[in-house]
């Protein structure tokens, strides 16, 4: 099956500034695909290029296998939900939803019936006659979704649609969006800088940094097997221990760091002498071990009990480490101020270029 | 009612209205409606008093009273000064009758010259307004949504600079361009496109061009302001939903800019129908615009009451027309003055 959307070495420049560089990836039919990255990394630019508001400077965008160059935004089988929603204030809720059908020449009665059906899908059936500014933030959100779905796009593009909502509503809308996506079965391309959102909702995630796609994979892979230092640092919490590779072999590398020699996986095959950073997640660090692949001595400086989890801020000879304990582990936590051995497995650490 | 009583009535009317409103505000305040700090509490007594007096006097003596006296005058007969206030100085409709029938006594035939000029003026003002809108809308849209800041500044400068000249000079500039031995004729002749000069002014080309140009800015700015405040994402959203460009204007931009369109068209229409300089300078020999007729009532016929009546008829008709159009466009005055 052809990919729903394919980016082929797509580069977008604004003058001298390169907003997106050599992006290549395929998004599958019916997939919930997220772009995750910090502010200004080019997420919106990618989305606007897919929807046709920006032509790529180099490379190509293909939708359903068809090259989109020269095809205007109004002719593409995509629908975009704007960061600011961009609902039409001069129209009622139902007219907003029906607008895409109106420009396609669908008759008044038919398009209103369809708008009503879609408003029911997003649980706004009783708000059809209201003005847009009479709705709450979450309701507006859903109107925007209904309006985009009305044109039956092959691909729905969502630009941080939940960023303006409060936490509770955001969580609710996450589930809602996922449910809507399953129901309509079309491809969703979702943009967010919230890694929790990306991890919970997406089939796959592309992590972006400064216009480049750093890694594409499902949430578990991106979290557990980061391919670059940026991904390791951006997705989830991590401890970064910089140093130099002094030994490699059987997929592992030993790094000379400020806290001693540490061993971790070497997915990128770094060679001896390379500057590198060893990344290890807080939950992979275990205090009170006498034996492990890696062992270092640290002092617990702070202790933050959060019920199901406990955060420890440790100091290993000047290097700060964060340790996360599960409920079972934290029954008898290390005492503050007393040196303790902290161990972790080589398989749980990654040595990546610094 | 005798006209001397009328004077007293006219003079008293605005004061009574102001007093009634002040009393209403005072009662509201007593009842606790709108319980913000009072006008004097906010500005202090000296400033408050000054503002109040200045605005009141200015509005009353510069705007309200002169207009009211004009209205009052339009209902009085033309009399030699000696007869004023005498037995013949009574209220009458004869000035209005003259407009319709060309005589203060008979109603036998219509006053064709004046009526024709009147309707022509209204019709031409509508056309000029429409033309003005057609020209200004794309420009305003370009400036508000498409062009970069530097381009907008340049365009604004180009638009405003000619208005440093006064209206009469600008009107004469059109004569220089469009006259039988004017620049345009010379160019066309030189290019071999015509072999005899074209009388553009006689064809009223100059009049309409001059009128259109005179109030261009008053169309541009309200349009520009209105379209400026439109979020460009709405345009993109419409395009994303499949709308071609003309639909975007019809469904999104124009409905959004409706208040600006309303105020721009109102201003241009009112000012065009009341324009004096352009018709005087640029009107061809056969064209009769209504405002020069009004002017003549005052200064050629020395018939101020009749002039007032004529001016008042023009004003009322224009207001009625504008109100009707606004009503059709489902706009209210509050919106267009935003
Ligand atoms: N029209 C433009 N002209 C010039 N530079 C632009 C333009 N649009 C975007 N950029 C630049 O491109 C970069 C990426 O912008 P983009 O809007 O794609 O970021 P983003 O990842 O969506 O960020 P955010 O999370 O803050 O929305 C930014 O540095 C921005 O300044
Ligand atoms: Mg963005």
């Amino acid at each position: 099956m052809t990919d729903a959307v394919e980016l082929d070495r797509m580069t977008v420049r604004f003058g001298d500034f390169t907003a997106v560089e050599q992006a290549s990836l395929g998004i599958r039919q019916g997939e919930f695909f997220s772009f995750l990255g910090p502010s200004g990394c080019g997420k919106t630019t990618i989305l606007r290029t897919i929807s046709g508001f920006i032509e790529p400077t180099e490379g190509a965008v293909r939708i359903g296998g068809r090259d989109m160059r020269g095809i205007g935004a109004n002719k593409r089988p995509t629908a975009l939900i704007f960061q600011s929603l961009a609902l039409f204030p001069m129209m009622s809720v139902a007219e907003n939803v029906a607008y895409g059908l109106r420009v396609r020449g669908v008759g008044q009665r038919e398009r209103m019936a369809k708008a009503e059906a879609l408003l029911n899908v997003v649980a706004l059936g009783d708000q059809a006659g209201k003005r847009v500014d009479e709705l709450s933030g979450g309701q507006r959100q859903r109107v925007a979704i209904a309006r985009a779905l009305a044109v039956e796009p092959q691909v729905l593009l969502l630009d941080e649609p939940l960023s303006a909502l409060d936490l509770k509503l955001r969580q609710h809308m996450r589930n809602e969006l996922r449910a809507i996506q399953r129901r309509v079965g079309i491809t969703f391309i979702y943009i967010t800088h919230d890694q929790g959102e990306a991890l919970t909702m997406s089939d796959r995630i592309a992590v972006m940094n400064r216009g480049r796609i750093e890694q594409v994979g499902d949430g578990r892979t991106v979290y557990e097997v980061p391919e670059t230092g940026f991904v390791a640092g951006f997705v989830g919490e991590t401890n970064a221990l910089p140093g130099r590779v002094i030994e490699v072999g059987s997929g592992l590398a030993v790094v000379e760091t400020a806290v001693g020699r540490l061993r971790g996986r070497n997915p990128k095959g770094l060679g001896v002498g390379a500057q590198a950073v060893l990344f290890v997640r807080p939950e992979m660090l275990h205090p009170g071990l006498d034996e492990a692949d890696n062992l270092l001595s640290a002092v617990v400086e702070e202790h933050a009990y959060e019920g199901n989890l406990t955060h420890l801020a440790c100091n290993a000879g000047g290097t700060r480490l964060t340790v996360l304990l599960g409920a079972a582990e934290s029954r008898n936590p290390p005492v503050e101020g007393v040196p303790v051995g902290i161990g972790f497995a080589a398989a749980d650490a990654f040595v990546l270029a610094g | 009612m005798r006209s001397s009583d009328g004077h007293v009535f006219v003079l008293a009317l605005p004061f009574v209205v102001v007093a009634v409103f002040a009393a209403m505000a005072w009662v509201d305040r007593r009842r606790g409606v709108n319980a913000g700090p009072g006008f004097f509490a906010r500005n202090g007594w000296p400033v408050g008093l000054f503002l109040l007096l200045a605005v009141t006097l200015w509005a009353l003596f510069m705007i309200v009273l002169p207009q009211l006296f004009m209205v009052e005058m339009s209902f009085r007969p033309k009399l030699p000064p000696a007869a004023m206030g005498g037995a013949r100085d009574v209220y009458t409709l004869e000035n209005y009758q003259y407009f319709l029938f060309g005589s203060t006594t008979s109603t036998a035939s219509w006053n064709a010259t004046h009526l024709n000029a009147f309707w022509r003026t209204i019709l031409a003002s509508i056309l000029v307004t429409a033309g003005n809108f057609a020209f200004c809308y794309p420009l305003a849209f370009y400036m508000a949504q498409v062009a970069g800041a530097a381009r907008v500044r340049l365009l604004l400068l180009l638009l405003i600079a000619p208005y440093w000249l006064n209206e009469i000079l600008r009107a004469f500039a059109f004569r220089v361009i469009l006259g039988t031995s004017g620049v345009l004729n010379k160019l066309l002749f030189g290019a071999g496109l015509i072999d005899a000069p074209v009388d553009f002014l006689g064809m009223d080309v100059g009049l309409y061009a001059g009128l259109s140009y005179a109030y261009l800015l008053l169309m541009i700015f309200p349009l520009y302001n209105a379209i400026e405040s439109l979020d460009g994402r709405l345009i993109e959203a419409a395009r994303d939903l499949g709308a071609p460009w003309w639909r975007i204007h019809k469904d999104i931009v124009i409905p959004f800019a409706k208040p600006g369109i309303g105020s721009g068209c109102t201003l241009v229409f009112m000012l065009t129908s009341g324009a004096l300089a352009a018709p005087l300078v640029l009107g061809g020999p056969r064209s009769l615009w209504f405002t020069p007729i009004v002017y003549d009532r005052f200064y050629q016929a020395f018939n101020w009451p009749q002039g007032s009546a004529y001016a008042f008829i023009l004003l009322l008709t224009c207001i009625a027309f504008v109100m009707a159009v606004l009503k059709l466009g489902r706009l209210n005055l509050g919106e267009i003055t935003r």
Side-chain angles (χ1 to χ4, degrees), chain A residues 43-45 83 159-160 191:
Chain A
K43 307 181 294 291
T44 299
T45 305
Q83 210 157 356
D159 191 352
E160 306 201 32
I191 278 190

Side-chain angles (χ1 to χ4, degrees), chain B residues 96-331:
Chain B
Y96 294 91
Q97 189 184 351
Y98 188 88
F99 170 69
L100 288 177
F101 303 109
S103 151
T104 54
T105 47
S106 108
T107 57
S109 63
W110 296 103
N111 184 355
T113 332
H114 290 180
L115 284 173
N116 280 347
F118 181 74
W119 292 121
R120 257 177 64 124
T121 300
I122 300 282
L123 193 70
S125 299
I126 294 171
L127 291 179
V128 165
T129 308
N132 230 323
F133 173 73
F135 177 79
C136 291
Y137 176 80
L139 190 60
F141 181 79
Y142 175 79
M143 292 200 312
Q145 291 287 339
V146 185
R151 187 70 58 86
V152 170
R153 270 198 302 279
L154 178 71
L155 275 171
L156 284 179
L157 188 70
L158 288 178
L159 280 169
I160 292 172
Y163 288 84
W164 290 347
L165 297 177
N166 70 48
E167 201 181 347
I168 307 271
L169 276 181
R170 262 183 284 128
F172 272 107
F174 274 102
R175 277 202 93 98
V176 172
I177 296 172
L178 297 172
T180 36
S181 56
V183 178
L184 187 59
N185 266 315
K186 288 221 177 86
L187 274 179
L188 290 176
F189 195 78
L193 290 172
I194 51 172
D195 33 46
V198 181
D199 185 11
F200 288 115
L201 293 176
M203 287 154 58
D204 282 345
V205 173
L207 177 60
Y208 294 128
L211 281 172
S212 302
Y213 191 67
Y215 306 112
L216 200 69
L217 288 189
L218 294 168
M219 182 66 92
I220 283 272
F221 282 116
L223 286 184
Y224 174 73
N225 272 337
I227 300 176
E228 241 265 90
S229 62
L230 172 67
D231 177 5
R233 304 278 166 197
L234 294 186
I235 295 173
E236 288 188 344
R239 194 142 76 91
D240 189 60
L241 290 169
W245 65 268
W246 58 269
R247 275 216 85 115
I248 295 177
H249 286 284
K250 174 175 157 290
D251 298 338
I252 312 295
V253 186
I254 291 182
F256 184 87
K258 217 162 66 175
I261 296 172
S263 61
C265 288
T266 305
L267 284 172
V268 170
F269 174 75
M270 294 299 259
L271 288 170
T272 305
S273 62
L276 187 58
L280 279 182
V281 176
L282 292 167
R286 276 168 292 111
S287 70
L288 258 183
W289 198 257
F290 194 63
T291 41
I293 294 178
V294 177
Y295 184 84
D296 284 350
R297 298 295 98 200
F298 281 104
Y299 291 108
Q300 301 281 307
F302 290 108
N303 192 340
W304 281 51
Q306 206 175 66
S308 303
Y310 274 45
F312 193 50
I313 288 169
L314 182 63
L315 180 70
L316 271 191
T317 310
C318 290
I319 290 179
F321 177 74
V322 165
M323 292 309 224
V325 171
L326 291 184
K327 184 112 194 133
L328 278 182
R330 294 208 200 84
L331 267 172

Side-chain angles (χ1 to χ4, degrees), chain A residues 24-283:
Chain A
S24 288
L25 54 81
I27 297 167
R28 296 171 199 139
Q29 305 277 3
E31 189 170 28
F32 197 116
F33 190 94
S34 293
F35 284 93
L36 172 66
S39 185
C41 71
K43 307 181 294 291
T44 299
T45 305
I46 286 199
L47 220 58
R48 290 172 61 77
T49 315
I50 295 174
S51 54
F53 291 110
I54 302 173
E55 280 287 348
T57 318
E58 284 161 27
V61 176
R62 282 188 275 277
I63 299 178
R66 199 157 132 241
D67 190 344
M68 286 288 130
R69 185 164 285 277
I71 297 179
N74 54 346
K75 301 255 165 62
R76 296 196 182 187
T78 58
L80 176 59
I81 295 179
F82 289 76
Q83 210 157 356
S84 59
L85 300 185
L87 297 178
F88 304 129
M90 61 295 272
M91 302 180 197
S92 73
V93 167
E95 284 167 344
N96 258 281
V97 176
Y99 186 73
L101 300 172
R102 191 168 136 208
V103 302
R104 281 166 178 72
V106 177
Q108 160 90 15
R109 185 177 299 223
E110 195 183 339
R111 65 177 192 250
M112 281 305 164
K114 180 135 186 235
E116 205 169 304
L118 274 165
L119 283 171
N120 284 327
V121 170
V122 294
L124 284 176
D126 49 344
Q127 312 284 329
K130 278 200 181 169
R131 285 216 324 264
V132 172
D133 56 13
E134 292 168 340
L135 299 182
S136 73
Q139 289 173 327
R140 270 183 236 181
Q141 198 75 60
R142 285 179 281 171
V143 175
I145 294 166
R147 184 178 72 174
L149 290 175
V151 299
E152 295 180 1
Q154 288 169 28
V155 182
L156 191 67
L157 307 164
L158 305 99
D159 191 352
E160 306 201 32
L162 307 185
S163 57
L165 306 182
D166 63 55
L167 185 67
K168 190 122 189 162
L169 194 54
R170 194 152 67 218
Q171 273 162 355
H172 173 74
M173 285 304 297
R174 278 182 197 172
N175 299 333
E176 197 104 313
L177 267 181
R178 198 68 175 110
I180 290 171
Q181 196 258 346
R182 292 216 181 87
R183 220 173 307 151
V184 297
I186 59 173
T187 310
F188 274 41
I189 303 182
Y190 190 89
I191 278 190
T192 179
H193 59 246
D194 178 335
Q195 40 131 337
E197 207 162 282
L199 291 175
T200 52
M201 295 172 73
S202 323
D203 295 318
R204 284 191 307 152
I205 300 171
V207 183
M208 288 187 67
N209 182 32
R210 291 148 156 258
R212 290 181 168 278
I213 294 175
E214 298 261 336
Q215 184 172 357
V216 180
D218 61 27
R220 184 173 285 275
T221 313
V222 168
Y223 186 81
E224 292 180 2
V225 195
E227 284 175 9
T228 69
F230 175 81
V231 175
F234 187 75
V235 185
E237 258 189 295
T238 193
N239 293 295
L241 300 159
R244 228 160 51 82
V245 178
I246 53 166
E247 193 187 320
V248 294
S250 58
L252 297 180
V254 179
V255 184
E256 179 83 62
T257 71
V259 294
R261 297 181 171 190
L262 301 173
R263 190 184 297 270
R265 280 153 71 166
N266 183 11
K268 290 289 169 191
L270 296 182
V272 172
Q275 291 293 329
V277 183
L278 183 135
F279 294 95
V280 58
R281 301 248 179 234
E283 66 269 26

